[in-house]
Amino acid sequence: MSLDPAKPTLLSTLVRHYDELVDHVRRRFGDRSTARDVVHDVCVQLLERDEKEDVRTPLALLRKISHDTAVSRYRSERRRAAWVDALPELPEVVCTAATPVGRHEAEHEFQLLVDAIAALPPRCQAVFVMHKIHEIPQAEVAAHLGISIKTVEKHLRLGLATCRERLGRGEVHP
């Protein structure tokens, strides 16, 4: 992109004539805030694309691009409004945020789990934390602790059983 002052770029023209472009869109579509949004959208479009070469009347092109962008935005908003109006009633949206009661129950359950892990024998606790919390593969746990994979499996079974018992879930079969 050359910086020849005789040939202004579209972006420099937009900056120089920003207020004029906003007024141009506002006169046709009524709302100054929307007009600013449209001109900002045009600015983003210019920044994302390669500069057009040999534009004889950059301000006229910017007016056309702004107008087309405003029309597109208007049509999109009309479609969205028509879709909402066409619904006999808005769909029920379930809030996924935890309620205070749900948060309290989750904290209580988490504390039960922490207590269950803390109550495990030291070697069992180390195996359980390494594999279940830190997600270290069983073979690496066995090598790190100097025990067999079968012993790792035994400690994991014991740890899971203890956690299920403390959480009141009993035996869980796949």
Side-chain angles (χ1 to χ4, degrees):
M1 173 176 16
S2 78
L3 297 175
D4 183 6
K7 293 183 179 179
T9 65
L10 286 176
L11 191 57
S12 66
T13 303
L14 183 141
V15 170
R16 261 195 321 277
H17 297 280
Y18 173 82
D19 290 329
E20 183 181 338
L21 288 167
V22 169
D23 287 338
H24 173 76
V25 173
R26 184 197 48 78
R27 281 191 301 275
R28 287 180 169 47
F29 296 93
D31 182 30
R32 186 161 186 78
S33 175
T34 301
R36 276 195 219 106
D37 288 344
V38 166
V39 175
H40 292 169
D41 289 348
V42 170
C43 182
V44 170
Q45 290 173 21
L46 294 175
L47 290 170
E48 289 177 343
R49 296 191 182 127
D50 291 333
E51 182 73 28
K52 292 185 182 286
E53 298 291 327
D54 298 328
V55 176
R56 283 189 232 155
T57 53
L59 185 56
L61 179 59
L62 287 171
R63 282 188 188 129
K64 173 72 171 134
I65 293 170
S66 297
H67 180 268
D68 292 348
T69 302
V71 167
S72 177
R73 177 184 280 246
Y74 174 76
R75 288 177 180 161
S76 174
E77 288 173 2
R78 293 255 332 245
R79 277 192 304 272
R80 190 177 311 112
W83 180 80
V84 169
D85 291 342
L87 292 175
E89 138 181 349
L90 291 176
E92 190 65 34
V93 177
V94 177
C95 179
T96 58
T99 64
V101 171
R103 219 176 6 258
H104 175 72
E105 289 173 359
E107 289 171 2
H108 177 71
E109 191 169 276
F110 178 73
Q111 191 57 51
L112 287 174
L113 185 59
V114 168
D115 292 344
I117 293 170
L120 294 173
R123 177 62 57 106
C124 182
Q125 183 183 50
V127 169
F128 190 83
V129 168
M130 289 174 74
H131 183 67
K132 293 296 186 182
I133 308 294
H134 298 292
E135 298 179 339
I136 298 172
Q138 290 181 13
E140 286 182 35
V141 171
H144 182 73
L145 296 175
I147 57 177
S148 70
I149 292 180
K150 290 286 185 194
T151 305
V152 168
E153 291 171 355
K154 179 188 82 162
H155 285 308
L156 287 174
R157 278 193 304 276
L158 175 64
L160 285 172
T162 302
C163 289
R164 285 184 187 125
E165 180 184 315
R166 289 281 181 105
L167 293 173
R169 299 212 175 125
E171 271 305 305
V172 177
H173 297 285

PDB file of all heavy atoms in Angstrom, residues 14 18-43 66-67 69-70 73 77:
ATOM      1  N   LEU A  14     -12.164   7.424   5.235  1.00  0.00           N
ATOM      2  CA  LEU A  14     -13.169   7.153   6.262  1.00  0.00           C
ATOM      3  C   LEU A  14     -12.876   7.972   7.518  1.00  0.00           C
ATOM      4  O   LEU A  14     -13.780   8.568   8.101  1.00  0.00           O
ATOM      5  CB  LEU A  14     -13.206   5.669   6.601  1.00  0.00           C
ATOM      6  CG  LEU A  14     -14.276   5.254   7.616  1.00  0.00           C
ATOM      7  CD1 LEU A  14     -14.880   3.926   7.215  1.00  0.00           C
ATOM      8  CD2 LEU A  14     -13.734   5.166   9.005  1.00  0.00           C
ATOM      9  N   TYR A  18     -15.470  10.803   8.711  1.00  0.00           N
ATOM     10  CA  TYR A  18     -16.229   9.958   9.637  1.00  0.00           C
ATOM     11  C   TYR A  18     -17.601  10.554   9.960  1.00  0.00           C
ATOM     12  O   TYR A  18     -18.633   9.908   9.812  1.00  0.00           O
ATOM     13  CB  TYR A  18     -15.416   9.738  10.920  1.00  0.00           C
ATOM     14  CG  TYR A  18     -16.172   9.013  12.006  1.00  0.00           C
ATOM     15  CD1 TYR A  18     -16.280   7.626  11.993  1.00  0.00           C
ATOM     16  CD2 TYR A  18     -16.798   9.710  13.032  1.00  0.00           C
ATOM     17  CE1 TYR A  18     -16.983   6.954  12.978  1.00  0.00           C
ATOM     18  CE2 TYR A  18     -17.503   9.037  14.029  1.00  0.00           C
ATOM     19  CZ  TYR A  18     -17.588   7.665  13.985  1.00  0.00           C
ATOM     20  OH  TYR A  18     -18.290   6.997  14.953  1.00  0.00           O
ATOM     21  N   ASP A  19     -17.617  11.804  10.412  1.00  0.00           N
ATOM     22  CA  ASP A  19     -18.880  12.435  10.801  1.00  0.00           C
ATOM     23  C   ASP A  19     -19.844  12.529   9.627  1.00  0.00           C
ATOM     24  O   ASP A  19     -21.051  12.316   9.781  1.00  0.00           O
ATOM     25  CB  ASP A  19     -18.631  13.833  11.383  1.00  0.00           C
ATOM     26  CG  ASP A  19     -17.956  13.774  12.739  1.00  0.00           C
ATOM     27  OD1 ASP A  19     -18.197  12.790  13.474  1.00  0.00           O
ATOM     28  OD2 ASP A  19     -17.179  14.704  13.057  1.00  0.00           O
ATOM     29  N   GLU A  20     -19.322  12.833   8.458  1.00  0.00           N
ATOM     30  CA  GLU A  20     -20.161  12.921   7.261  1.00  0.00           C
ATOM     31  C   GLU A  20     -20.785  11.564   6.925  1.00  0.00           C
ATOM     32  O   GLU A  20     -21.964  11.474   6.579  1.00  0.00           O
ATOM     33  CB  GLU A  20     -19.331  13.435   6.085  1.00  0.00           C
ATOM     34  CG  GLU A  20     -20.124  13.636   4.821  1.00  0.00           C
ATOM     35  CD  GLU A  20     -19.255  14.119   3.673  1.00  0.00           C
ATOM     36  OE1 GLU A  20     -18.163  14.687   3.921  1.00  0.00           O
ATOM     37  OE2 GLU A  20     -19.673  13.915   2.522  1.00  0.00           O
ATOM     38  N   LEU A  21     -19.998  10.484   7.060  1.00  0.00           N
ATOM     39  CA  LEU A  21     -20.526   9.143   6.782  1.00  0.00           C
ATOM     40  C   LEU A  21     -21.584   8.745   7.812  1.00  0.00           C
ATOM     41  O   LEU A  21     -22.607   8.159   7.466  1.00  0.00           O
ATOM     42  CB  LEU A  21     -19.385   8.119   6.758  1.00  0.00           C
ATOM     43  CG  LEU A  21     -18.475   8.194   5.545  1.00  0.00           C
ATOM     44  CD1 LEU A  21     -17.215   7.362   5.770  1.00  0.00           C
ATOM     45  CD2 LEU A  21     -19.203   7.728   4.299  1.00  0.00           C
ATOM     46  N   VAL A  22     -21.328   9.076   9.083  1.00  0.00           N
ATOM     47  CA  VAL A  22     -22.316   8.787  10.127  1.00  0.00           C
ATOM     48  C   VAL A  22     -23.611   9.524   9.827  1.00  0.00           C
ATOM     49  O   VAL A  22     -24.700   8.949   9.905  1.00  0.00           O
ATOM     50  CB  VAL A  22     -21.762   9.151  11.527  1.00  0.00           C
ATOM     51  CG1 VAL A  22     -22.862   9.106  12.580  1.00  0.00           C
ATOM     52  CG2 VAL A  22     -20.628   8.208  11.909  1.00  0.00           C
ATOM     53  N   ASP A  23     -23.521  10.818   9.460  1.00  0.00           N
ATOM     54  CA  ASP A  23     -24.726  11.590   9.129  1.00  0.00           C
ATOM     55  C   ASP A  23     -25.432  11.028   7.905  1.00  0.00           C
ATOM     56  O   ASP A  23     -26.669  10.995   7.852  1.00  0.00           O
ATOM     57  CB  ASP A  23     -24.374  13.065   8.903  1.00  0.00           C
ATOM     58  CG  ASP A  23     -24.044  13.791  10.199  1.00  0.00           C
ATOM     59  OD1 ASP A  23     -24.471  13.300  11.271  1.00  0.00           O
ATOM     60  OD2 ASP A  23     -23.359  14.828  10.144  1.00  0.00           O
ATOM     61  N   HIS A  24     -24.669  10.574   6.935  1.00  0.00           N
ATOM     62  CA  HIS A  24     -25.246   9.967   5.723  1.00  0.00           C
ATOM     63  C   HIS A  24     -26.098   8.748   6.091  1.00  0.00           C
ATOM     64  O   HIS A  24     -27.233   8.613   5.621  1.00  0.00           O
ATOM     65  CB  HIS A  24     -24.119   9.574   4.760  1.00  0.00           C
ATOM     66  CG  HIS A  24     -24.563   8.799   3.568  1.00  0.00           C
ATOM     67  ND1 HIS A  24     -25.194   9.372   2.496  1.00  0.00           N
ATOM     68  CD2 HIS A  24     -24.472   7.476   3.293  1.00  0.00           C
ATOM     69  CE1 HIS A  24     -25.486   8.444   1.610  1.00  0.00           C
ATOM     70  NE2 HIS A  24     -25.048   7.280   2.062  1.00  0.00           N
ATOM     71  N   VAL A  25     -25.576   7.878   6.942  1.00  0.00           N
ATOM     72  CA  VAL A  25     -26.317   6.681   7.349  1.00  0.00           C
ATOM     73  C   VAL A  25     -27.488   7.072   8.255  1.00  0.00           C
ATOM     74  O   VAL A  25     -28.595   6.559   8.118  1.00  0.00           O
ATOM     75  CB  VAL A  25     -25.382   5.669   8.054  1.00  0.00           C
ATOM     76  CG1 VAL A  25     -26.161   4.507   8.624  1.00  0.00           C
ATOM     77  CG2 VAL A  25     -24.300   5.181   7.092  1.00  0.00           C
ATOM     78  N   ARG A  26     -27.270   8.024   9.170  1.00  0.00           N
ATOM     79  CA  ARG A  26     -28.324   8.448  10.081  1.00  0.00           C
ATOM     80  C   ARG A  26     -29.515   9.031   9.327  1.00  0.00           C
ATOM     81  O   ARG A  26     -30.670   8.747   9.655  1.00  0.00           O
ATOM     82  CB  ARG A  26     -27.789   9.479  11.072  1.00  0.00           C
ATOM     83  CG  ARG A  26     -28.829   9.907  12.120  1.00  0.00           C
ATOM     84  CD  ARG A  26     -28.470  11.194  12.829  1.00  0.00           C
ATOM     85  NE  ARG A  26     -28.066  12.289  11.973  1.00  0.00           N
ATOM     86  CZ  ARG A  26     -28.903  13.066  11.263  1.00  0.00           C
ATOM     87  NH1 ARG A  26     -30.184  12.856  11.299  1.00  0.00           N
ATOM     88  NH2 ARG A  26     -28.429  14.054  10.532  1.00  0.00           N
ATOM     89  N   ARG A  27     -29.260   9.832   8.290  1.00  0.00           N
ATOM     90  CA  ARG A  27     -30.361  10.420   7.516  1.00  0.00           C
ATOM     91  C   ARG A  27     -31.229   9.352   6.876  1.00  0.00           C
ATOM     92  O   ARG A  27     -32.437   9.491   6.774  1.00  0.00           O
ATOM     93  CB  ARG A  27     -29.813  11.361   6.437  1.00  0.00           C
ATOM     94  CG  ARG A  27     -29.415  12.719   6.958  1.00  0.00           C
ATOM     95  CD  ARG A  27     -29.141  13.703   5.832  1.00  0.00           C
ATOM     96  NE  ARG A  27     -28.092  13.289   4.919  1.00  0.00           N
ATOM     97  CZ  ARG A  27     -26.796  13.488   5.105  1.00  0.00           C
ATOM     98  NH1 ARG A  27     -26.379  14.102   6.199  1.00  0.00           N
ATOM     99  NH2 ARG A  27     -25.910  13.088   4.218  1.00  0.00           N
ATOM    100  N   ARG A  28     -30.621   8.258   6.452  1.00  0.00           N
ATOM    101  CA  ARG A  28     -31.383   7.207   5.780  1.00  0.00           C
ATOM    102  C   ARG A  28     -32.019   6.209   6.750  1.00  0.00           C
ATOM    103  O   ARG A  28     -33.034   5.613   6.444  1.00  0.00           O
ATOM    104  CB  ARG A  28     -30.490   6.478   4.795  1.00  0.00           C
ATOM    105  CG  ARG A  28     -30.188   7.328   3.577  1.00  0.00           C
ATOM    106  CD  ARG A  28     -29.320   6.615   2.604  1.00  0.00           C
ATOM    107  NE  ARG A  28     -29.168   7.209   1.309  1.00  0.00           N
ATOM    108  CZ  ARG A  28     -28.914   8.465   1.010  1.00  0.00           C
ATOM    109  NH1 ARG A  28     -28.850   9.361   1.954  1.00  0.00           N
ATOM    110  NH2 ARG A  28     -28.737   8.851  -0.232  1.00  0.00           N
ATOM    111  N   PHE A  29     -31.380   6.012   7.917  1.00  0.00           N
ATOM    112  CA  PHE A  29     -31.853   4.959   8.825  1.00  0.00           C
ATOM    113  C   PHE A  29     -32.268   5.468  10.197  1.00  0.00           C
ATOM    114  O   PHE A  29     -32.697   4.681  11.037  1.00  0.00           O
ATOM    115  CB  PHE A  29     -30.789   3.862   8.948  1.00  0.00           C
ATOM    116  CG  PHE A  29     -30.540   3.164   7.651  1.00  0.00           C
ATOM    117  CD1 PHE A  29     -29.539   3.598   6.800  1.00  0.00           C
ATOM    118  CD2 PHE A  29     -31.344   2.117   7.257  1.00  0.00           C
ATOM    119  CE1 PHE A  29     -29.329   2.968   5.575  1.00  0.00           C
ATOM    120  CE2 PHE A  29     -31.141   1.497   6.038  1.00  0.00           C
ATOM    121  CZ  PHE A  29     -30.132   1.921   5.202  1.00  0.00           C
ATOM    122  N   GLY A  30     -32.113   6.783  10.454  1.00  0.00           N
ATOM    123  CA  GLY A  30     -32.723   7.393  11.625  1.00  0.00           C
ATOM    124  C   GLY A  30     -31.932   7.446  12.913  1.00  0.00           C
ATOM    125  O   GLY A  30     -31.986   8.451  13.592  1.00  0.00           O
ATOM    126  N   ASP A  31     -31.191   6.463  13.273  1.00  0.00           N
ATOM    127  CA  ASP A  31     -30.571   6.389  14.589  1.00  0.00           C
ATOM    128  C   ASP A  31     -29.070   6.667  14.508  1.00  0.00           C
ATOM    129  O   ASP A  31     -28.346   5.991  13.783  1.00  0.00           O
ATOM    130  CB  ASP A  31     -30.839   5.000  15.186  1.00  0.00           C
ATOM    131  CG  ASP A  31     -30.284   4.828  16.576  1.00  0.00           C
ATOM    132  OD1 ASP A  31     -30.206   5.826  17.311  1.00  0.00           O
ATOM    133  OD2 ASP A  31     -29.960   3.678  16.930  1.00  0.00           O
ATOM    134  N   ARG A  32     -28.596   7.669  15.273  1.00  0.00           N
ATOM    135  CA  ARG A  32     -27.173   8.040  15.232  1.00  0.00           C
ATOM    136  C   ARG A  32     -26.287   6.923  15.798  1.00  0.00           C
ATOM    137  O   ARG A  32     -25.201   6.664  15.280  1.00  0.00           O
ATOM    138  CB  ARG A  32     -26.947   9.340  15.994  1.00  0.00           C
ATOM    139  CG  ARG A  32     -25.535   9.855  15.861  1.00  0.00           C
ATOM    140  CD  ARG A  32     -25.452  11.341  16.213  1.00  0.00           C
ATOM    141  NE  ARG A  32     -24.150  11.887  15.962  1.00  0.00           N
ATOM    142  CZ  ARG A  32     -23.668  12.228  14.780  1.00  0.00           C
ATOM    143  NH1 ARG A  32     -24.409  12.066  13.711  1.00  0.00           N
ATOM    144  NH2 ARG A  32     -22.457  12.722  14.655  1.00  0.00           N
ATOM    145  N   SER A  33     -26.743   6.267  16.850  1.00  0.00           N
ATOM    146  CA  SER A  33     -25.957   5.182  17.444  1.00  0.00           C
ATOM    147  C   SER A  33     -25.779   4.035  16.448  1.00  0.00           C
ATOM    148  O   SER A  33     -24.679   3.498  16.297  1.00  0.00           O
ATOM    149  CB  SER A  33     -26.642   4.691  18.713  1.00  0.00           C
ATOM    150  OG  SER A  33     -25.969   3.589  19.233  1.00  0.00           O
ATOM    151  N   THR A  34     -26.846   3.676  15.783  1.00  0.00           N
ATOM    152  CA  THR A  34     -26.762   2.624  14.765  1.00  0.00           C
ATOM    153  C   THR A  34     -25.860   3.069  13.618  1.00  0.00           C
ATOM    154  O   THR A  34     -25.072   2.282  13.097  1.00  0.00           O
ATOM    155  CB  THR A  34     -28.164   2.275  14.233  1.00  0.00           C
ATOM    156  OG1 THR A  34     -28.967   1.831  15.325  1.00  0.00           O
ATOM    157  CG2 THR A  34     -28.111   1.196  13.173  1.00  0.00           C
ATOM    158  N   ALA A  35     -25.964   4.351  13.248  1.00  0.00           N
ATOM    159  CA  ALA A  35     -25.127   4.879  12.165  1.00  0.00           C
ATOM    160  C   ALA A  35     -23.646   4.770  12.527  1.00  0.00           C
ATOM    161  O   ALA A  35     -22.818   4.372  11.696  1.00  0.00           O
ATOM    162  CB  ALA A  35     -25.500   6.326  11.864  1.00  0.00           C
ATOM    163  N   ARG A  36     -23.309   5.099  13.779  1.00  0.00           N
ATOM    164  CA  ARG A  36     -21.908   4.949  14.221  1.00  0.00           C
ATOM    165  C   ARG A  36     -21.470   3.493  14.152  1.00  0.00           C
ATOM    166  O   ARG A  36     -20.364   3.193  13.726  1.00  0.00           O
ATOM    167  CB  ARG A  36     -21.751   5.469  15.651  1.00  0.00           C
ATOM    168  CG  ARG A  36     -21.539   6.934  15.731  1.00  0.00           C
ATOM    169  CD  ARG A  36     -21.024   7.321  17.131  1.00  0.00           C
ATOM    170  NE  ARG A  36     -21.654   8.558  17.499  1.00  0.00           N
ATOM    171  CZ  ARG A  36     -22.631   8.697  18.396  1.00  0.00           C
ATOM    172  NH1 ARG A  36     -23.070   7.669  19.067  1.00  0.00           N
ATOM    173  NH2 ARG A  36     -23.140   9.872  18.643  1.00  0.00           N
ATOM    174  N   ASP A  37     -22.343   2.592  14.600  1.00  0.00           N
ATOM    175  CA  ASP A  37     -22.015   1.162  14.550  1.00  0.00           C
ATOM    176  C   ASP A  37     -21.757   0.721  13.117  1.00  0.00           C
ATOM    177  O   ASP A  37     -20.834  -0.058  12.848  1.00  0.00           O
ATOM    178  CB  ASP A  37     -23.141   0.323  15.159  1.00  0.00           C
ATOM    179  CG  ASP A  37     -23.227   0.447  16.676  1.00  0.00           C
ATOM    180  OD1 ASP A  37     -22.255   0.935  17.282  1.00  0.00           O
ATOM    181  OD2 ASP A  37     -24.266   0.042  17.228  1.00  0.00           O
ATOM    182  N   VAL A  38     -22.569   1.190  12.192  1.00  0.00           N
ATOM    183  CA  VAL A  38     -22.409   0.823  10.782  1.00  0.00           C
ATOM    184  C   VAL A  38     -21.065   1.320  10.254  1.00  0.00           C
ATOM    185  O   VAL A  38     -20.322   0.575   9.601  1.00  0.00           O
ATOM    186  CB  VAL A  38     -23.581   1.382   9.930  1.00  0.00           C
ATOM    187  CG1 VAL A  38     -23.266   1.299   8.449  1.00  0.00           C
ATOM    188  CG2 VAL A  38     -24.871   0.642  10.252  1.00  0.00           C
ATOM    189  N   VAL A  39     -20.721   2.569  10.542  1.00  0.00           N
ATOM    190  CA  VAL A  39     -19.440   3.121  10.060  1.00  0.00           C
ATOM    191  C   VAL A  39     -18.276   2.382  10.716  1.00  0.00           C
ATOM    192  O   VAL A  39     -17.263   2.103  10.059  1.00  0.00           O
ATOM    193  CB  VAL A  39     -19.373   4.645  10.293  1.00  0.00           C
ATOM    194  CG1 VAL A  39     -18.001   5.196   9.920  1.00  0.00           C
ATOM    195  CG2 VAL A  39     -20.463   5.344   9.475  1.00  0.00           C
ATOM    196  N   HIS A  40     -18.424   2.006  11.972  1.00  0.00           N
ATOM    197  CA  HIS A  40     -17.365   1.217  12.632  1.00  0.00           C
ATOM    198  C   HIS A  40     -17.232  -0.147  11.965  1.00  0.00           C
ATOM    199  O   HIS A  40     -16.116  -0.642  11.772  1.00  0.00           O
ATOM    200  CB  HIS A  40     -17.662   1.053  14.121  1.00  0.00           C
ATOM    201  CG  HIS A  40     -17.557   2.328  14.882  1.00  0.00           C
ATOM    202  ND1 HIS A  40     -17.992   2.465  16.162  1.00  0.00           N
ATOM    203  CD2 HIS A  40     -17.064   3.547  14.543  1.00  0.00           C
ATOM    204  CE1 HIS A  40     -17.771   3.699  16.586  1.00  0.00           C
ATOM    205  NE2 HIS A  40     -17.218   4.371  15.614  1.00  0.00           N
ATOM    206  N   ASP A  41     -18.368  -0.750  11.605  1.00  0.00           N
ATOM    207  CA  ASP A  41     -18.321  -2.032  10.892  1.00  0.00           C
ATOM    208  C   ASP A  41     -17.593  -1.884   9.559  1.00  0.00           C
ATOM    209  O   ASP A  41     -16.810  -2.759   9.162  1.00  0.00           O
ATOM    210  CB  ASP A  41     -19.733  -2.574  10.648  1.00  0.00           C
ATOM    211  CG  ASP A  41     -20.415  -3.070  11.911  1.00  0.00           C
ATOM    212  OD1 ASP A  41     -19.726  -3.203  12.947  1.00  0.00           O
ATOM    213  OD2 ASP A  41     -21.640  -3.325  11.863  1.00  0.00           O
ATOM    214  N   VAL A  42     -17.850  -0.791   8.871  1.00  0.00           N
ATOM    215  CA  VAL A  42     -17.163  -0.539   7.592  1.00  0.00           C
ATOM    216  C   VAL A  42     -15.668  -0.394   7.833  1.00  0.00           C
ATOM    217  O   VAL A  42     -14.847  -0.940   7.086  1.00  0.00           O
ATOM    218  CB  VAL A  42     -17.746   0.713   6.890  1.00  0.00           C
ATOM    219  CG1 VAL A  42     -16.893   1.119   5.704  1.00  0.00           C
ATOM    220  CG2 VAL A  42     -19.184   0.458   6.464  1.00  0.00           C
ATOM    221  N   CYS A  43     -15.302   0.287   8.889  1.00  0.00           N
ATOM    222  CA  CYS A  43     -13.884   0.454   9.229  1.00  0.00           C
ATOM    223  C   CYS A  43     -13.229  -0.903   9.468  1.00  0.00           C
ATOM    224  O   CYS A  43     -12.141  -1.178   8.959  1.00  0.00           O
ATOM    225  CB  CYS A  43     -13.751   1.341  10.460  1.00  0.00           C
ATOM    226  SG  CYS A  43     -12.045   1.653  10.940  1.00  0.00           S
ATOM    227  N   SER A  66     -21.231   1.849   3.258  1.00  0.00           N
ATOM    228  CA  SER A  66     -21.956   2.139   4.501  1.00  0.00           C
ATOM    229  C   SER A  66     -23.444   1.888   4.323  1.00  0.00           C
ATOM    230  O   SER A  66     -24.097   1.305   5.193  1.00  0.00           O
ATOM    231  CB  SER A  66     -21.729   3.592   4.929  1.00  0.00           C
ATOM    232  OG  SER A  66     -20.376   3.813   5.199  1.00  0.00           O
ATOM    233  N   HIS A  67     -23.982   2.342   3.205  1.00  0.00           N
ATOM    234  CA  HIS A  67     -25.411   2.134   2.933  1.00  0.00           C
ATOM    235  C   HIS A  67     -25.725   0.643   2.861  1.00  0.00           C
ATOM    236  O   HIS A  67     -26.690   0.161   3.485  1.00  0.00           O
ATOM    237  CB  HIS A  67     -25.808   2.833   1.629  1.00  0.00           C
ATOM    238  CG  HIS A  67     -27.245   2.662   1.289  1.00  0.00           C
ATOM    239  ND1 HIS A  67     -27.688   1.640   0.488  1.00  0.00           N
ATOM    240  CD2 HIS A  67     -28.336   3.368   1.668  1.00  0.00           C
ATOM    241  CE1 HIS A  67     -29.009   1.719   0.387  1.00  0.00           C
ATOM    242  NE2 HIS A  67     -29.429   2.757   1.087  1.00  0.00           N
ATOM    243  N   THR A  69     -24.063  -1.856   4.138  1.00  0.00           N
ATOM    244  CA  THR A  69     -23.894  -2.451   5.461  1.00  0.00           C
ATOM    245  C   THR A  69     -25.096  -2.140   6.347  1.00  0.00           C
ATOM    246  O   THR A  69     -25.585  -3.017   7.073  1.00  0.00           O
ATOM    247  CB  THR A  69     -22.594  -1.934   6.120  1.00  0.00           C
ATOM    248  OG1 THR A  69     -21.491  -2.258   5.261  1.00  0.00           O
ATOM    249  CG2 THR A  69     -22.373  -2.554   7.480  1.00  0.00           C
ATOM    250  N   ALA A  70     -25.598  -0.911   6.269  1.00  0.00           N
ATOM    251  CA  ALA A  70     -26.767  -0.537   7.067  1.00  0.00           C
ATOM    252  C   ALA A  70     -28.001  -1.319   6.614  1.00  0.00           C
ATOM    253  O   ALA A  70     -28.789  -1.779   7.450  1.00  0.00           O
ATOM    254  CB  ALA A  70     -27.024   0.963   6.934  1.00  0.00           C
ATOM    255  N   ARG A  73     -27.694  -4.828   7.936  1.00  0.00           N
ATOM    256  CA  ARG A  73     -27.961  -4.849   9.377  1.00  0.00           C
ATOM    257  C   ARG A  73     -29.464  -4.721   9.640  1.00  0.00           C
ATOM    258  O   ARG A  73     -30.026  -5.425  10.468  1.00  0.00           O
ATOM    259  CB  ARG A  73     -27.208  -3.706  10.049  1.00  0.00           C
ATOM    260  CG  ARG A  73     -27.476  -3.587  11.538  1.00  0.00           C
ATOM    261  CD  ARG A  73     -26.773  -2.364  12.085  1.00  0.00           C
ATOM    262  NE  ARG A  73     -25.378  -2.659  12.299  1.00  0.00           N
ATOM    263  CZ  ARG A  73     -24.818  -2.681  13.499  1.00  0.00           C
ATOM    264  NH1 ARG A  73     -25.522  -2.398  14.559  1.00  0.00           N
ATOM    265  NH2 ARG A  73     -23.554  -2.953  13.624  1.00  0.00           N
ATOM    266  N   GLU A  77     -31.868  -7.475  11.472  1.00  0.00           N
ATOM    267  CA  GLU A  77     -32.665  -7.165  12.657  1.00  0.00           C
ATOM    268  C   GLU A  77     -34.151  -7.431  12.420  1.00  0.00           C
ATOM    269  O   GLU A  77     -34.856  -7.894  13.313  1.00  0.00           O
ATOM    270  CB  GLU A  77     -32.433  -5.713  13.083  1.00  0.00           C
ATOM    271  CG  GLU A  77     -31.066  -5.502  13.692  1.00  0.00           C
ATOM    272  CD  GLU A  77     -30.746  -4.037  13.970  1.00  0.00           C
ATOM    273  OE1 GLU A  77     -31.608  -3.160  13.722  1.00  0.00           O
ATOM    274  OE2 GLU A  77     -29.620  -3.776  14.413  1.00  0.00           O
TER     275      GLU A  77
END
